[in-house]
Amino acid sequence: MVTTTEIAKDVFRIAVFVPEINLEFSHFLVRDEEPLLFHAGLRGMFPVLRDQVSRLMDVSKIRHVGFSHFESDECGALNQWLELAPAAQPVCGLVGALVSVNDFSIRPARALTRDDVLSTGQKNFRFIPTPHVPHGWDAGVLFEESEKTLFCSDLFHQWGQREPATSDSIIDRCRDALLESEAGPFANYVPYTHHTGRVLEVLAGYRPRTLAVMHGSTYHGDGGKAFRDLATVMREVLGPKAQHGETTSEGTIRTEEN
Ligand SMILES: [Fe+2]
Ligand SMILES: [Fe+2]
Protein backbone atom coordinates (compact mmCIF):
# COMPACT_ATOMS: atom_id res chain seq x y z
CA MET A 1 0.00 0.00 0.00
CA VAL A 2 3.06 2.26 -0.43
CA THR A 3 3.62 4.23 -3.61
CA THR A 4 6.72 6.30 -4.31
CA THR A 5 6.66 8.81 -7.18
CA GLU A 6 9.00 11.58 -8.28
CA ILE A 7 6.62 14.54 -8.58
CA ALA A 8 9.25 17.18 -9.36
CA LYS A 9 12.96 16.95 -9.95
CA ASP A 10 14.38 15.16 -6.88
CA VAL A 11 11.11 15.56 -4.97
CA PHE A 12 9.60 12.19 -4.11
CA ARG A 13 6.07 11.56 -2.88
CA ILE A 14 5.93 8.53 -0.60
CA ALA A 15 2.26 7.72 -0.06
CA VAL A 16 0.83 5.16 2.34
CA PHE A 17 -2.81 4.19 1.89
CA VAL A 18 -4.77 3.10 4.97
CA PRO A 19 -7.86 1.24 3.72
CA GLU A 20 -9.52 1.14 7.16
CA ILE A 21 -10.05 4.89 7.01
CA ASN A 22 -9.93 5.22 3.21
CA LEU A 23 -7.16 7.77 3.46
CA GLU A 24 -3.76 8.22 1.93
CA PHE A 25 -0.85 9.91 3.71
CA SER A 26 1.85 11.50 1.56
CA HIS A 27 5.36 12.38 2.71
CA PHE A 28 7.75 14.33 0.52
CA LEU A 29 11.46 13.68 0.33
CA VAL A 30 13.65 16.34 -1.26
CA ARG A 31 16.94 14.81 -2.35
CA ASP A 32 19.42 17.66 -2.30
CA GLU A 33 22.72 18.58 -0.65
CA GLU A 34 20.81 18.96 2.63
CA PRO A 35 17.95 16.49 2.23
CA LEU A 36 14.54 17.55 3.51
CA LEU A 37 11.67 15.32 4.53
CA PHE A 38 8.36 17.20 4.61
CA HIS A 39 5.92 15.31 6.88
CA ALA A 40 7.59 13.05 9.40
CA GLY A 41 4.43 10.95 9.40
CA LEU A 42 2.70 8.91 12.05
CA ARG A 43 4.88 6.92 14.43
CA GLY A 44 3.13 3.75 13.28
CA MET A 45 4.19 4.41 9.70
CA PHE A 46 7.81 5.11 10.53
CA PRO A 47 9.27 1.64 9.67
CA VAL A 48 7.57 1.67 6.27
CA LEU A 49 8.66 5.22 5.51
CA ARG A 50 12.21 4.62 6.68
CA ASP A 51 12.48 1.65 4.32
CA GLN A 52 11.13 3.67 1.41
CA VAL A 53 13.43 6.63 2.07
CA SER A 54 16.41 4.28 2.37
CA ARG A 55 15.79 3.14 -1.21
CA LEU A 56 16.31 6.72 -2.35
CA MET A 57 19.14 7.89 -0.10
CA ASP A 58 21.10 7.22 3.08
CA VAL A 59 18.50 8.08 5.72
CA SER A 60 21.17 9.11 8.22
CA LYS A 61 21.96 12.07 5.93
CA ILE A 62 18.56 13.77 6.28
CA ARG A 63 19.16 17.35 7.45
CA HIS A 64 15.69 18.88 7.74
CA VAL A 65 12.37 17.42 8.87
CA GLY A 66 9.61 19.90 8.06
CA PHE A 67 5.85 19.99 8.50
CA SER A 68 2.94 22.40 8.50
CA HIS A 69 1.42 22.09 11.97
CA PHE A 70 1.73 20.02 15.13
CA GLU A 71 -0.35 16.92 14.51
CA SER A 72 0.62 13.26 14.44
CA ASP A 73 0.43 12.72 10.69
CA GLU A 74 2.61 15.81 10.25
CA CYS A 75 5.28 15.15 12.88
CA GLY A 76 4.42 12.13 15.06
CA ALA A 77 7.62 10.30 14.05
CA LEU A 78 9.80 13.42 14.23
CA ASN A 79 12.02 12.06 17.00
CA GLN A 80 12.46 8.71 15.28
CA TRP A 81 13.88 10.56 12.24
CA LEU A 82 16.08 12.74 14.45
CA GLU A 83 17.49 9.66 16.17
CA LEU A 84 18.28 8.10 12.82
CA ALA A 85 19.83 11.23 11.30
CA PRO A 86 22.24 12.90 13.76
CA ALA A 87 22.47 16.20 11.85
CA ALA A 88 18.74 16.52 11.21
CA GLN A 89 16.75 19.38 12.68
CA PRO A 90 13.00 20.01 12.80
CA VAL A 91 11.89 22.94 10.68
CA CYS A 92 8.57 24.68 11.23
CA GLY A 93 7.02 28.06 11.92
CA LEU A 94 7.99 30.14 14.93
CA VAL A 95 4.64 29.58 16.62
CA GLY A 96 4.91 25.81 16.18
CA ALA A 97 8.45 25.80 17.53
CA LEU A 98 7.63 27.84 20.62
CA VAL A 99 4.21 26.35 21.39
CA SER A 100 4.84 22.64 20.80
CA VAL A 101 7.84 21.42 18.88
CA ASN A 102 10.70 22.56 21.10
CA ASP A 103 9.05 20.78 24.00
CA PHE A 104 8.28 17.60 22.07
CA SER A 105 11.40 17.28 19.96
CA ILE A 106 14.73 15.84 21.10
CA ARG A 107 16.43 18.74 19.28
CA PRO A 108 15.25 22.33 18.95
CA ALA A 109 13.55 23.41 15.76
CA ARG A 110 14.74 25.81 13.17
CA ALA A 111 11.91 28.32 13.55
CA LEU A 112 10.87 30.17 10.41
CA THR A 113 8.94 33.41 10.11
CA ARG A 114 7.23 34.90 7.08
CA ASP A 115 9.40 34.82 3.95
CA ASP A 116 12.32 33.10 5.63
CA VAL A 117 14.05 30.87 3.09
CA LEU A 118 15.37 27.42 3.86
CA SER A 119 18.03 26.39 1.38
CA THR A 120 18.71 22.71 0.88
CA GLY A 121 21.46 23.35 -1.66
CA GLN A 122 20.00 23.54 -5.15
CA LYS A 123 16.51 24.30 -3.88
CA ASN A 124 15.15 27.16 -1.83
CA PHE A 125 11.99 26.89 0.25
CA ARG A 126 10.10 29.99 1.31
CA PHE A 127 8.06 29.72 4.50
CA ILE A 128 4.56 31.16 4.35
CA PRO A 129 2.62 31.21 7.63
CA THR A 130 -1.03 30.22 7.15
CA PRO A 131 -2.56 30.35 10.65
CA HIS A 132 -5.70 28.19 10.91
CA VAL A 133 -5.40 27.23 7.22
CA PRO A 134 -5.93 24.28 6.92
CA HIS A 135 -6.03 24.28 10.72
CA GLY A 136 -3.85 25.03 13.70
CA TRP A 137 -2.51 28.33 14.96
CA ASP A 138 0.96 27.18 13.97
CA ALA A 139 0.13 26.20 10.37
CA GLY A 140 2.41 27.18 7.51
CA VAL A 141 3.57 25.90 4.14
CA LEU A 142 6.84 25.69 2.23
CA PHE A 143 7.16 26.88 -1.36
CA GLU A 144 10.04 25.70 -3.53
CA GLU A 145 10.88 28.65 -5.69
CA SER A 146 12.68 27.29 -8.77
CA GLU A 147 10.10 24.69 -9.80
CA LYS A 148 7.23 26.35 -7.91
CA THR A 149 6.23 23.35 -5.85
CA LEU A 150 4.04 24.13 -2.85
CA PHE A 151 3.90 21.70 0.06
CA CYS A 152 0.35 22.42 1.08
CA SER A 153 -0.36 19.93 3.87
CA ASP A 154 -4.10 19.19 4.30
CA LEU A 155 -5.26 21.73 1.74
CA PHE A 156 -6.85 20.04 -1.30
CA HIS A 157 -7.69 16.99 0.85
CA GLN A 158 -9.08 14.06 -1.14
CA TRP A 159 -10.39 10.86 0.42
CA GLY A 160 -9.47 7.45 -1.00
CA GLN A 161 -6.47 6.10 -2.84
CA ARG A 162 -5.69 8.33 -5.79
CA GLU A 163 -3.26 8.43 -8.66
CA PRO A 164 0.07 9.81 -7.41
CA ALA A 165 -0.16 12.89 -9.60
CA THR A 166 -2.63 14.40 -12.02
CA SER A 167 -2.97 17.38 -14.33
CA ASP A 168 -6.77 17.17 -14.24
CA SER A 169 -8.57 19.54 -11.90
CA ILE A 170 -8.89 18.12 -8.38
CA ILE A 171 -11.35 20.75 -7.18
CA ASP A 172 -14.48 18.56 -7.50
CA ARG A 173 -12.81 15.92 -5.36
CA CYS A 174 -11.90 18.56 -2.81
CA ARG A 175 -15.48 19.80 -2.67
CA ASP A 176 -16.75 16.23 -2.22
CA ALA A 177 -14.15 15.61 0.48
CA LEU A 178 -15.15 18.73 2.42
CA LEU A 179 -18.84 17.84 2.17
CA GLU A 180 -18.14 14.27 3.26
CA SER A 181 -16.01 15.42 6.17
CA GLU A 182 -18.63 17.92 7.33
CA ALA A 183 -21.28 15.19 7.30
CA GLY A 184 -19.42 12.81 9.60
CA PRO A 185 -17.24 12.57 12.69
CA PHE A 186 -14.54 14.69 11.04
CA ALA A 187 -16.80 17.75 10.78
CA ASN A 188 -15.01 21.06 11.35
CA TYR A 189 -11.77 19.57 10.04
CA VAL A 190 -11.05 22.96 8.47
CA PRO A 191 -12.23 26.16 10.17
CA TYR A 192 -13.57 29.03 8.09
CA THR A 193 -12.71 32.49 9.39
CA HIS A 194 -12.44 36.03 8.05
CA HIS A 195 -8.77 35.24 7.38
CA THR A 196 -9.35 32.13 5.27
CA GLY A 197 -9.94 33.79 1.91
CA ARG A 198 -7.02 36.15 2.38
CA VAL A 199 -4.61 33.35 3.24
CA LEU A 200 -5.72 31.34 0.19
CA GLU A 201 -5.32 34.43 -2.01
CA VAL A 202 -1.75 34.90 -0.72
CA LEU A 203 -0.99 31.29 -1.69
CA ALA A 204 -2.63 31.76 -5.11
CA GLY A 205 -0.34 34.77 -5.64
CA TYR A 206 2.74 32.53 -5.61
CA ARG A 207 1.32 30.81 -8.72
CA PRO A 208 2.52 27.32 -7.80
CA ARG A 209 2.84 24.81 -10.61
CA THR A 210 2.81 21.71 -8.42
CA LEU A 211 0.65 21.23 -5.34
CA ALA A 212 2.17 18.57 -3.10
CA VAL A 213 -0.94 17.48 -1.20
CA MET A 214 -0.78 15.37 1.96
CA HIS A 215 -4.04 13.46 1.42
CA GLY A 216 -4.67 12.75 -2.27
CA SER A 217 -3.06 13.28 -5.64
CA THR A 218 -0.37 15.81 -6.29
CA TYR A 219 -1.66 18.37 -8.78
CA HIS A 220 0.35 19.72 -11.72
CA GLY A 221 -1.11 22.79 -13.36
CA ASP A 222 -2.31 26.30 -12.64
CA GLY A 223 -1.96 26.39 -8.86
CA GLY A 224 -3.12 30.00 -8.65
CA LYS A 225 -6.44 29.08 -10.20
CA ALA A 226 -6.64 25.96 -8.03
CA PHE A 227 -6.30 28.07 -4.87
CA ARG A 228 -8.96 30.53 -6.05
CA ASP A 229 -11.27 27.62 -6.86
CA LEU A 230 -10.56 26.17 -3.43
CA ALA A 231 -11.41 29.51 -1.82
CA THR A 232 -14.77 29.45 -3.59
CA VAL A 233 -15.47 25.87 -2.55
CA MET A 234 -14.50 26.52 1.06
CA ARG A 235 -16.71 29.59 1.20
CA GLU A 236 -19.64 27.63 -0.24
CA VAL A 237 -19.20 24.58 1.96
CA LEU A 238 -17.87 26.13 5.17
CA GLY A 239 -18.64 29.84 4.98
CA PRO A 240 -21.27 31.91 6.76
CA LYS A 241 -24.06 30.69 4.50
CA ALA A 242 -23.33 27.08 5.32
CA GLN A 243 -25.62 27.14 8.37
CA HIS A 244 -22.76 28.00 10.73
CA GLY A 245 -20.95 24.84 9.77
CA GLU A 246 -23.83 22.62 10.83
CA THR A 247 -24.89 19.55 8.93
CA THR A 248 -28.37 18.11 8.64
CA SER A 249 -29.30 14.63 9.83
CA GLU A 250 -29.15 13.59 6.18
CA GLY A 251 -25.53 14.65 6.12
CA THR A 252 -25.88 17.56 3.73
CA ILE A 253 -25.01 21.18 4.23
CA ARG A 254 -27.95 23.51 4.75
CA THR A 255 -27.67 26.97 3.28
CA GLU A 256 -29.85 30.02 3.75
CA GLU A 257 -31.36 29.33 0.35
CA ASN A 258 -32.70 25.89 1.26
FE1 LIG B 1 -3.75 18.54 9.80
FE1 LIG C 1 -3.07 15.62 7.44
Side-chain angles (χ1 to χ4, degrees):
M1 289 299 181
V2 187
T3 312
T4 299
T5 310
E6 188 171 10
I7 57 156
K9 188 174 182 308
D10 288 320
V11 179
F12 296 87
R13 171 189 185 270
I14 303 169
V16 181
F17 180 61
V18 182
E20 293 79 10
I21 55 172
N22 192 35
L23 189 59
E24 197 169 38
F25 295 82
S26 298
H27 316 77
F28 298 96
L29 176 70
V30 178
R31 204 168 51 182
D32 202 350
E33 291 156 31
E34 296 187 6
L36 160 72
L37 178 68
F38 193 78
H39 298 153
L42 297 160
R43 284 191 304 153
M45 284 183 186
F46 176 70
V48 171
L49 292 173
R50 180 196 54 210
D51 291 350
Q52 290 296 310
V53 171
S54 68
R55 294 179 184 200
L56 299 166
M57 58 166 284
D58 177 352
V59 288
S60 70
K61 299 285 194 287
I62 290 175
R63 288 291 303 277
H64 309 281
V65 182
F67 46 91
S68 166
H69 49 276
F70 193 77
E71 211 169 39
S72 273
D73 61 353
E74 297 269 350
C75 62
L78 172 64
N79 286 330
Q80 279 82 351
W81 291 108
L82 297 184
E83 284 166 2
L84 208 60
Q89 187 177 21
V91 58
C92 62
L94 178 72
V95 171
L98 296 181
V99 171
S100 301
V101 178
N102 285 350
D103 182 63
F104 171 82
S105 170
I106 59 171
R107 287 200 281 283
R110 175 164 173 178
L112 304 178
T113 56
R114 181 180 300 279
D115 288 333
D116 281 351
V117 174
L118 169 75
S119 177
T120 57
Q122 299 303 308
K123 297 178 187 294
N124 293 310
F125 293 85
R126 185 172 296 272
F127 176 73
I128 309 161
T130 60
H132 302 292
V133 180
H135 44 227
W137 177 26
D138 53 331
V141 297
L142 286 182
F143 179 58
E144 199 286 310
E145 298 188 307
S146 61
E147 291 199 63
K148 299 190 180 298
T149 300
L150 187 75
F151 292 155
C152 46
S153 178
D154 299 321
L155 294 169
F156 298 98
H157 177 115
Q158 307 147 55
W159 291 100
Q161 187 172 28
R162 303 291 185 168
E163 66 273 52
T166 182
S167 299
D168 295 333
S169 173
I170 54 174
I171 202 66
D172 288 342
R173 298 177 185 181
C174 297
R175 179 189 290 106
D176 293 346
L178 275 177
L179 287 165
E180 189 180 330
S181 300
E182 286 303 295
F186 292 117
N188 304 301
Y189 173 35
V190 179
Y192 192 88
T193 76
H194 60 289
H195 294 298
T196 307
R198 180 179 55 79
V199 170
L200 294 173
E201 182 57 34
V202 166
L203 296 177
Y206 285 91
R207 305 179 69 177
R209 290 202 297 257
T210 295
L211 301 175
V213 175
M214 179 186 247
H215 308 289
S217 298
T218 286
Y219 172 67
H220 297 301
D222 185 342
K225 179 178 186 313
F227 268 107
R228 292 188 176 109
D229 289 346
L230 182 66
T232 301
V233 164
M234 287 176 65
R235 189 181 65 239
E236 288 172 358
V237 176
L238 306 170
K241 290 191 173 181
Q243 193 80 1
H244 311 293
E246 304 264 34
T247 54
T248 69
S249 56
E250 293 79 35
T252 53
I253 302 295
R254 275 197 298 253
T255 66
E256 288 179 357
E257 284 75 34
N258 60 14

